[in-house]
Amino acid sequence: MDVFTAIEQRRSIKEFDPNHCMSESEKKQLFEKAILSPTAFNLQHWRFVVLEEKSQIDAMFQLSWNQPQVTSSSLFVIICMDKHAWSKDPGQYWVNAPVEVQELIVPMIDGYYRNNEQAQVDECMRSCGLIGMSLMLVAQQMGYDSCPMDGFDFEKVGKLINLPEDHLIGMAVAIGKPAKDPWPRSGQLPLEKVLIKDQF
Ligand SMILES: Cc1cc2nc3c(=O)[nH]c(=O)nc-3n(C[C@H](O)[C@H](O)[C@H](O)COP(=O)(O)O)c2cc1C
């Protein structure tokens, strides 16, 4: 599938075939491709919580106002972000770079994020958006559909998954085989309304 087709065919699916199982090798392929997405300073600060236990899925269903994507999807991923990845052995993100590049970049990471809570959080949300879209497009390529989700109680879901203190929840993505067609596109803005030349 080419990129144009994947983008055009990706729609938010509200209900999946609950009987379909995604194989472990498919899940591995999905994540292996998606994590090639870019992050500032190559921090790769996404951490994926995949809900597998029925009790966890049922609890998530309740915490997301009974949205059927949660229980019917073949894979339900909560995208979490490590806000402090920048401070956790940052050399690991550049270990294969030439030494002169490592010496230049790694100290810059600390300088950029330390004492800048806003930058730490903003970076998490930027990266979460990118990985979320990658997961959805890779899923499309693999013959699956998806639904991005933030319609849930973030605080209670944090407790449910034992979210570490220095992590954030970005959003969730449900992936599976569709059981219902999506609604027609609900109101795409014309390009002229969103494309600004040079200045607002
Ligand atoms: C961050 C984010 C959160 C969303 N949360 C939900 C959700 O909780 N439930 C839902 O049914 N759709 C959710 N959506 C899907 C949007 O409603 C959908 O993307 C939008 O209406 C455009 O439709 P399309 O994705 O089919 O093109 C979410 C989308 C995004 C990007």
Side-chain angles (χ1 to χ4, degrees):
M1 182 180 283
D2 66 27
V3 177
F4 284 173
T5 308
I7 288 174
E8 283 162 7
Q9 289 188 355
R10 184 220 55 80
R11 297 296 316 284
S12 293
I13 296 296
K14 312 289 177 183
E15 205 165 330
F16 298 97
D17 172 2
N19 297 316
H20 182 82
C21 277
M22 200 174 185
S23 70
E24 288 307 312
S25 67
E26 284 178 306
K27 290 177 191 171
K28 186 163 179 271
Q29 184 181 41
L30 175 81
F31 285 112
E32 276 178 352
K33 298 300 179 203
I35 61 171
L36 299 177
S37 304
T39 44
F41 291 114
N42 200 31
L43 294 183
Q44 304 159 75
H45 41 175
W46 34 64
R47 304 290 179 261
F48 309 104
V49 176
V50 174
L51 298 188
E52 293 188 341
E53 289 287 336
K54 187 173 178 326
S55 58
Q56 288 291 89
I57 293 168
D58 289 346
M60 184 73 205
F61 178 63
Q62 284 184 11
L63 295 176
S64 61
W65 301 289
N66 298 355
Q67 294 199 62
Q69 301 92 312
V70 179
T71 42
S72 63
S73 58
S74 307
L75 180 70
F76 192 84
V77 187
I78 302 170
I79 304 175
C80 303
M81 303 300 304
D82 183 351
K83 210 168 47 156
H84 290 163
W86 60 272
S87 66
K88 297 175 182 169
D89 181 20
Q92 65 181 310
Y93 314 125
W94 290 87
V95 70
N96 296 323
V99 173
E100 60 275 21
V101 175
Q102 293 186 29
E103 285 173 357
L104 177 73
I105 302 281
V106 176
M108 284 169 65
I109 297 176
D110 195 276
Y112 189 79
Y113 295 104
R114 188 175 294 280
N115 301 324
N116 194 343
E117 171 78 15
Q118 179 81 50
Q120 295 171 23
V121 173
D122 288 353
E123 210 72 276
C124 283
M125 292 307 154
R126 275 189 280 272
S127 302
C128 176
L130 290 165
I131 194 74
M133 193 63 186
S134 291
L135 282 169
M136 291 187 276
L137 292 182
V138 176
Q140 211 66 39
Q141 160 72 32
M142 292 172 65
Y144 282 94
D145 278 274
S146 59
C147 186
M149 288 180 63
D150 65 5
F152 53 84
D153 185 323
F154 276 61
E155 208 180 314
K156 289 186 178 154
V157 171
K159 290 197 175 98
L160 180 73
I161 62 171
N162 202 19
L163 187 76
E165 193 76 17
D166 59 357
H167 285 47
L168 303 169
I169 295 177
M171 64 173 160
V173 179
I175 293 172
K177 296 283 183 185
K180 273 190 190 163
D181 286 340
W183 302 323
R185 286 191 188 276
S186 64
Q188 201 68 30
L189 292 177
L191 193 52
E192 306 79 67
K193 200 156 186 179
V194 296
L195 184 65
I196 291 97
K197 291 191 178 151
D198 294 321
Q199 286 189 318
F200 274 93

